[in-house]
Every structure is written in structure tokens, then in C-alpha cells.
Amino acid sequence: MATRAPAGPTLDDIRAAREAIAGVARRTPVLPSATLTERLGAPVELKAENLQRTGSFKVRGSANKVRRLGDGCAAGVVAASAGNHAMALAHAARALGVPCEVYMPSEAPLTKIEGAEALGARVVLGGDSVDACLVAARRRADEAGMAFVHPFDDPDVVAGQGTLGLELVEDVEELGKVVVPVGGGGLASGIAIAVKSLRPEVEVVGVQVESCAPFPASLQAGEPVEVDSRLTIADGIAVKRPGGLTLELMRRWVDEVVVVSEEETAEAMVLLMEKAKLVVEGAGAVGVAALAGGQVEPARNGCTVAVLSGGNVDAGLLHEVARRHETEAGRRVVVLTRVPDRPGSLARLLTLVGSTGANLIEVQHVREGIALHVRETAVELVLETRGREHAEDVLAEIERAGYHASVLRG
Amino acid sequence: MATRAPAGPTLDDIRAAREAIAGVARRTPVLPSATLTERLGAPVELKAENLQRTGSFKVRGSANKVRRLGDGCAAGVVAASAGNHAMALAHAARALGVPCEVYMPSEAPLTKIEGAEALGARVVLGGDSVDACLVAARRRADEAGMAFVHPFDDPDVVAGQGTLGLELVEDVEELGKVVVPVGGGGLASGIAIAVKSLRPEVEVVGVQVESCAPFPASLQAGEPVEVDSRLTIADGIAVKRPGGLTLELMRRWVDEVVVVSEEETAEAMVLLMEKAKLVVEGAGAVGVAALAGGQVEPARNGCTVAVLSGGNVDAGLLHEVARRHETEAGRRVVVLTRVPDRPGSLARLLTLVGSTGANLIEVQHVREGIALHVRETAVELVLETRGREHAEDVLAEIERAGYHASVLRG
């Protein structure tokens, strides 16, 4: 059963949205990326929407929706969200003087809960999942005469997200291609409508993450197909089932949807931190992942822009991503070796390691589970080196001194 | 013995520098900070110079110097640096078609060495410190007829850094105060000359880090005073002795120099990552640290701008900073408790912990150095929680179940 095509927003709706959200959402900068430009041999720029108010593009759609509701939301607005949509609606509602309630799963990160509260929203915790919260939020809206605001499947929301596309057309010289993260599809379709209405020759490509990628199958089937969602680093786009409206808009306006891996997404986050100096959440980094991984070719003519759709990532996850990257770059190695079980042995080994310039992060005796001579003990060292080549030199030094050493990770 | 005041650059020199560096350095964006604005009750904006080419403001001064040298550097330019100046000069030299050599200490981070090489510089490693490299670099310049480029104590370099001040005057509405990191003093004096020549009423405040802060004493003495430098998170501004030129310019143009702690600097880096979504190195974050810590009051009238002077920070350090922050925010706690030394004890404890919603990061038996009953064993748990309040709930649950628990860190 194919869904009937509901009405999507037009270029005029998006232009009107721009007026409506002025003062609530920011115009975010477009930054050239020397690293990606050099690596791909073609000009690449980054739309730094992670610098948007509340840390994601969502505020554009929320603000437009609240404005368009006008008196229809005098009693307030209600949303269900584990993160960005909650903070965005809270901000938009406060800026426009409208009460706001958000239903969040009890497991939502405390930073997001506090974030929504700090923006003046009443947060109602409960339910295991966003789906459960959605049911509660809709019920609350009906009972209290408040307006329920969907995160993506709403023409006013799509029109708001489309304002980002207007900025691209104005701010990027010779725009050739736009690469956009896809969760519900509101951002990608909004951008595509804006950009292609003004410049039909510009390509717009959507990117999903492998752990939750319903769009390719849904586009093929011609109707929303629900997929299972695994734990993902790109939780901001982990939407298991496209909306009826956004699926139709994506089909009509977006050229292609590609899929990237979790690994590629994590590496893109690190590349953006290390090279572009931008904190971008997993969901916001998939466009760069697709360019770096080759799923998307840069434009043949003109500039390719990757939209960094959000930057809301906990310090805890940043720390994990950075640590893993250190290991992958060979700047962090875990070495297993053995020393004689007598006084001064470990001191001698560590003196040797110190002389190689490697920094000792952790040391631990390992006596179980390893075949050892009765008078020796195994030692696990976590070392920080200057990189893969240095790590190899350090290992060679250890072996030259008569120790047997093996690398566990690094 | 007071140094005689050498000639500093004028506003016209800075305007000429802007022409000279166009195409080599970028105009970086100024971004409003909702978080600091709310916290301080006055408008605060961030000059995101961490988004500059090569990740720091240094490229402005280097590019101007190379341009001004003209034929005088046909044989090439030479610098000594452990980081940002090396990459900046390499970039400027390549952009202007001039050979470049940089002398770097053997302990310089591999990313910086590779960064300079990737930008086409010949890197000469050797020497324990930047001081030793300086000697070698000057000798090399003399012998080879190349031009030595000082990182700050040079009027052309100061003029180049001053171009950032022109951008502030043009881009910030009602500029009231500028807060600038101070290492050698080139950036702060360049900005102060530009800003105060055009808007004498705007205050310019410099910020140093406690571990290496020679300016307050030097300004008081009227001559460069050398201080000891301890290991610092703000290594980009760890200059032990002001230059003769920059000290005089700072005295003449900068209103005040304040000092922040290492702790405050680390917290400012985290605030910039979490709230502003920007990766800023320690040296670049001291202005925000001074505003958050109260060493600098926001402007009474108009907007206060903190200059984020650079963003070159290794993933390894980012990971440390993020991890420490998690501990301080109570989102990471280390708990010591005891379980009976019999089968299933630990499993029961971990089941309990899991039911509280805390995530187990590490678990370890501790048998040594603790007074234990003969049939019990101590267990150290590293837990990730949703925040301080949740951490307290988790502990209360553990104690309610009959375990004695104490918090080691968190």
C-alpha cells in the first residue's frame, strides 16, 4: 500500500520560515575544510550547524512550527524526544513565550534533561523508549489542548529545516553538491527543496548510518519500512521508520541516500575534532564519513558541502572516541611482556621503556592465565607513543634488551 | 636596565598586513556564546580563531612577515618552534612559494611534526628544548642566507596578528572589551594597537596561565623578567620571557594582564567543547577561563569578546580533559566496597549496580593494603552515572543492600 503524497512545503514556505525564525535560530557559518579539500582533490566546505542554538538544526523547524501555530499553541506545545528535538522546542517555545512540555525516556542523558529544563521546559520522565514517550505526549496534548510538535513529519517543521538550504545557496560560491545526514528526513528534504528550487543542478545526497538505515528500503518499497535499530554512535539519526511526508519528499527531491558504518562515523568525528576543531555528534558527522569513505564522490563542478547537523555529544563519549582513535593511530599500545620474579626487574624494564620516550600510562602484573616459568611474571604495559613508527621502535628496543614482548592492542 | 622602546607597528601597518595576508589567512567567525552570556549576565562572543588555517592565529603574523621580507627570503625562511608557529610559517611559506625549514625539539608531538612536513616544510629534529632549537635555527639562517622568523618579537609579526583586531572592530556590534591569551605578547599587542587606534574606549585585557606568567612581573619591572615554566595544559603560551618589543607594546597598549589556573583552563576547554562545540587548546581557552573564573569582568557597556587563539590539541589530551571532567561532574565515580569471598558474591553486587542504571566501566579485586575480614574481599568499581545526584542514589542503593561503600574519586 503506497502512501498518498501529502503536501510538502514550497520555496515560498521556506522563505516565510526564514522570516519566522529570525532571532530564534542563528545563521551558522560555512567553513572551508583544507583537510578534506586536499584529501579529495576538490573543494569541500562544512556547514557548521553544530554551532546552532541548542547545538543542532532542530531549532529551525521547531521555531517555525511554534510561529505557524500562533494562537493554536496558546496552551503550550508538547514533544517526545531523547535529545535534540526536546532542547530545540524548549528554546523556541521560551523565545516565543509559549509553555513547553517534553516527554523524555528515563534513560535520556542527564545533560539533555538538564538542558531542556534550563531552557524552561517542563520535563516529564518515563517510558523505556521514545516510542512510549510519543504515546504519552500525544495523549497529554489532546487532554490539555496543547499542540503536539512532531520532530520531522510535518510540513512546517520541514520548511524550517529548509532555511539552512537558503543559507547554503547564498553563502557558498559555486555550490555543486550538498551531503546531509538523514534520520527522519526532515532536514534533508527541507534543504533539497530550498536548494533545488533555486539551483536545480545542485545534487543533494542523504546519508544514514548502517545501524539504523530504513530509507534505502523504504524508497525502494515506496512506503515506510521499519527496521531494527542497534546501539549506534549516531543516536541523533536513529529513526527506525521514515515519516509518510518525509519519505515522499525525499523520493521527490533527494538524489540518493547512502549508508556509512559506525567505524567511519567515529573516525569522521575525530577528523572533525582534530582537523576542523569542531565538536560534532555522530549523527552530524555521517556526511563527512561518506566523503572520507568514498560512498559520496565530491561534485565534479563546484563546491561540495557537508552539513554538520549537530554537536550534542557527552564528554564521556568524546573521551571514548578520542581514546579509541589514539589506539588506532598507534599512539596508544598495550604490550604484554615478562620479567624475572625478583627485586628490581620491573624497575629495569620501566627504565628501558622510559628511555625510549614512551609515556607509561598503566602497568599491571598478570599472573593468571598465561604459561609462565615459575620464576617469572607477566607484565602488561599501556604506553603512549608519538605514533605507529615510534611504537614499533619502542617494541624493538624492548626486544633488543632480551624481553619477549607482544602487542595486545595498538 | 630598561629596554629602549623599539618601533611597533601602526594601524596603517596592520591595514597593510591585511592586504598582504589575504588568501593565506582566513577571516574567522565571531560566534555568540549563549552559555557565557547567560552565566555572566552580559553579552559575550567568541572569536573562533581556532578555525584559522593551521589551527591558530600564528599564520597571520607569519604570512605578513614572509610578504614583507619579499626578495629578502628568496633563499627561504627558518623558524624554531614546538608547534603552532612551525605549522603557521610552513603554511605561509608554501602559499607564497618560499622554502621553509623548521627546527623542532625531538620531543615535539608527532602530529605537529607531521603537520609541518605535510605543509611542505623541511623539519629538522634535535635539541631538548625550543631554546636549543632557536640557537640552531639562527645559525642555519645565518649560514644559508635564509631569513629567521621570530614567533612574536618582530613588528611585522605583530602587525599580522593585529589583523584579527580589525576583524573584531568590523564584526562585533558595540565592542566593549577584548580578552586575549598572552604568551609572547604578539597577538595581544597587535589586537590592542588595531582596536584602540580605532576605538580608544574598548578595553583589551591579556590572560596568562599561572604555570608560566612572566608578564605581570615584567610589566612591573619595566624589563623582561624570566620565570620558570612548569608543565602546563596551555603549552602554546608557555613563553618564559617576554620580548623587548612586545613587552613595550603591551605596556603601552594593553590595559591589564591577569592570570588563571591550570584547573580553570581545563574547565574552560570542556565548557567550550560541551557548550560552544569548539575544540580549543589550553592556550586558546584562558580568556574564557578568566571570564568564567571572575578574573575579568565583562564590559559594562557593549559586548565582551574572548579570543580563542588556537585549537591544536592532541586527541590524547582531549581524552584526558574529557575524562577528568566526567569525574568532576560526578558522572564517573570510583567506589570501594567489600563482598564475602564466596561464589556469586560479585555477581550479586554487580546485578544490584546494574539495576540502578549505572554503567560499569571497570571492576577489580583489591586484596592488599586494606583491613579485611579473612573471608571477604574488597572490590573497586569504576561507574558511569547520569550525574552527581544519580551517583548518590547508586551509592545509597548499594549501602541499603548491606554493603559498606566509600567513594575514592568522583
Side-chain angles (χ1 to χ4, degrees), chain A residues 277, chain B residues 53-59 62 81-90 104 112 119 235-237 281 283-284 309-313:
Chain A
K277 318 300 177 193
Chain B
R53 293 301 314 267
T54 77
S56 89
F57 72 95
K58 293 272 186 189
V59 77
S62 291
S81 161
N84 290 344
H85 178 52
M87 293 198 296
L89 186 64
M104 301 179 85
K112 299 265 166 82
L119 291 162
D235 58 310
I237 51 172
E281 62 184 278
S309 53
N312 289 323
V313 44

Side-chain angles (χ1 to χ4, degrees), chain A residues 318-340:
Chain A
L318 278 187
H319 144 226
E320 278 309 310
V321 168
R323 189 184 53 72
R324 227 198 35 169
H325 176 71
E326 288 294 275
T327 305
E328 278 174 9
R331 290 202 289 267
R332 197 182 181 92
V333 276
V334 184
V335 176
L336 187 68
T337 183
R338 296 171 197 178
V339 295

Side-chain angles (χ1 to χ4, degrees), chain B residues 33-340:
Chain B
S33 166
T35 304
L36 286 168
T37 297
E38 218 154 281
R39 196 185 284 189
L40 299 175
V44 177
E45 303 198 344
L46 305 169
K47 174 68 169 171
E49 188 70 4
N50 59 325
L51 307 178
Q52 184 54 269
R53 293 301 314 267
T54 77
S56 89
F57 72 95
K58 293 272 186 189
V59 77
R60 297 175 185 263
S62 291
N64 190 46
K65 181 66 189 177
V66 174
R67 277 270 199 231
R68 298 271 298 186
L69 281 165
D71 289 345
C73 67
V77 288
V78 188
S81 161
N84 290 344
H85 178 52
M87 293 198 296
L89 186 64
H91 171 69
R94 184 172 69 167
L96 301 171
V98 172
C100 176
E101 290 184 13
V102 287
Y103 284 71
M104 301 179 85
S106 7
E107 296 210 332
L110 195 72
T111 46
K112 299 265 166 82
I113 297 171
E114 288 175 346
E117 281 174 346
L119 291 162
R122 187 170 93 91
V123 174
V124 184
L125 281 183
D128 286 346
S129 65
V130 175
D131 287 336
C133 291
L134 268 168
V135 174
R138 284 188 197 272
R139 190 189 313 128
R140 168 69 179 160
D142 285 348
E143 288 171 5
M146 297 168 87
F148 174 78
V149 179
H150 195 280
F152 53 84
D153 212 31
D154 178 313
D156 296 330
V157 172
V158 173
Q161 322 302 28
T163 58
L164 191 154
L166 299 181
E167 295 172 16
L168 291 182
V169 171
E170 291 164 2
D171 292 347
V172 180
E173 275 179 52
E174 297 188 52
L175 183 62
K177 188 182 277 198
V178 186
V179 190
V180 195
V182 174
L187 178 64
S189 43
I191 288 175
I193 295 168
V195 168
K196 285 180 175 272
S197 299
L198 291 161
R199 302 268 177 84
E201 76 283 6
V202 175
E203 272 185 275
V204 178
V205 180
V207 185
Q208 295 214 287
V209 70
E210 57 174 0
S211 318
C212 186
F215 265 98
S218 300
L219 287 166
Q220 201 164 14
E223 61 180 5
V225 173
E226 184 163 327
V227 296
D228 285 343
S229 162
R230 295 196 304 282
L231 197 64
T232 171
I233 196 173
D235 58 310
I237 51 172
V239 175
K240 290 186 278 187
R241 184 188 164 88
L245 170 65
T246 49
L247 179 61
E248 175 54 21
L249 294 175
M250 291 281 291
R251 191 193 59 71
R252 212 190 313 165
W253 292 98
V254 172
D255 293 281
E256 189 190 0
V257 176
V258 302
V259 175
V260 296
S261 71
E262 293 284 317
E263 286 296 314
E264 289 166 330
T265 305
E267 281 303 304
M269 286 175 73
V270 172
L271 183 144
L272 287 163
M273 275 199 282
E274 282 203 327
K275 301 297 183 183
K277 318 301 177 194
L278 294 170
V279 175
V280 179
E281 62 184 278
V286 295
V288 167
L291 285 166
Q295 287 90 338
V296 177
E297 298 275 314
R300 274 160 202 260
N301 297 306
C303 183
T304 302
V305 177
V307 178
L308 312 177
S309 53
N312 289 323
V313 44
D314 282 340
L317 180 58
L318 279 187
H319 143 228
E320 279 308 311
V321 169
R323 189 184 54 71
R324 228 196 35 165
H325 175 72
E326 287 294 275
T327 304
E328 280 175 8
R331 290 202 288 266
R332 200 183 178 91
V333 276
V334 184
V335 176
L336 186 70
T337 183
R338 298 171 196 175
V339 296

Side-chain angles (χ1 to χ4, degrees), chain A residues 27-293:
Chain A
R27 185 183 196 109
T28 51
V30 180
L31 307 163
S33 167
T35 305
L36 285 168
T37 297
E38 219 155 279
R39 195 185 281 188
L40 300 176
V44 177
E45 304 197 344
L46 306 170
K47 173 68 168 170
E49 187 70 5
N50 59 324
L51 307 178
Q52 184 54 264
R53 294 300 314 268
T54 76
S56 89
F57 72 95
K58 293 273 186 189
V59 79
R60 297 174 185 264
S62 290
N64 190 48
K65 181 66 189 177
V66 175
R67 276 269 198 233
R68 298 271 298 185
L69 280 166
D71 290 343
C73 67
V77 287
V78 188
S81 160
N84 290 343
H85 177 52
M87 293 198 296
L89 185 63
H91 170 69
R94 184 172 68 167
L96 301 171
V98 171
C100 175
E101 290 183 14
V102 287
Y103 284 71
M104 301 178 84
S106 13
E107 297 211 331
L110 196 70
T111 47
K112 300 262 167 85
I113 297 169
E114 289 174 347
E117 280 173 348
L119 292 163
R122 187 170 94 90
V123 173
V124 184
L125 283 182
D128 286 346
S129 66
V130 176
D131 287 336
C133 291
L134 268 169
V135 174
R138 283 188 198 271
R139 190 188 315 127
R140 167 71 178 159
D142 285 348
E143 287 171 5
M146 299 168 85
F148 175 79
V149 179
H150 195 279
F152 54 84
D153 212 32
D154 178 314
D156 295 330
V157 171
V158 173
Q161 322 302 27
T163 59
L164 192 154
L166 298 181
E167 296 172 16
L168 291 182
V169 170
E170 290 163 5
D171 294 346
V172 180
E173 276 179 52
E174 296 188 53
L175 183 61
K177 187 182 280 199
V178 185
V179 190
V180 195
V182 174
L187 178 64
S189 42
I191 289 175
I193 295 168
V195 168
K196 286 182 174 270
S197 298
L198 290 161
R199 302 268 179 85
E201 75 284 7
V202 175
E203 271 184 275
V204 177
V205 180
V207 185
Q208 295 214 287
V209 68
E210 56 175 359
S211 318
C212 186
F215 265 98
S218 299
L219 286 166
Q220 203 165 14
E223 62 181 2
V225 172
E226 184 164 326
V227 297
D228 285 341
S229 163
R230 294 195 304 280
L231 197 63
T232 171
I233 196 173
D235 57 310
I237 49 172
V239 175
K240 291 185 279 187
R241 184 189 164 89
L245 170 65
T246 50
L247 179 61
E248 175 55 22
L249 294 175
M250 291 280 291
R251 190 192 61 72
R252 211 191 315 166
W253 292 98
V254 171
D255 293 282
E256 191 189 358
V257 175
V258 302
V259 175
V260 297
S261 72
E262 292 285 318
E263 285 296 315
E264 288 165 330
T265 305
E267 282 303 304
M269 286 176 74
V270 172
L271 183 145
L272 286 163
M273 276 198 282
E274 282 204 325
K275 302 297 184 184
K277 318 300 177 193
L278 294 171
V279 175
V280 179
E281 60 185 278
V286 297
V288 167
L291 285 166

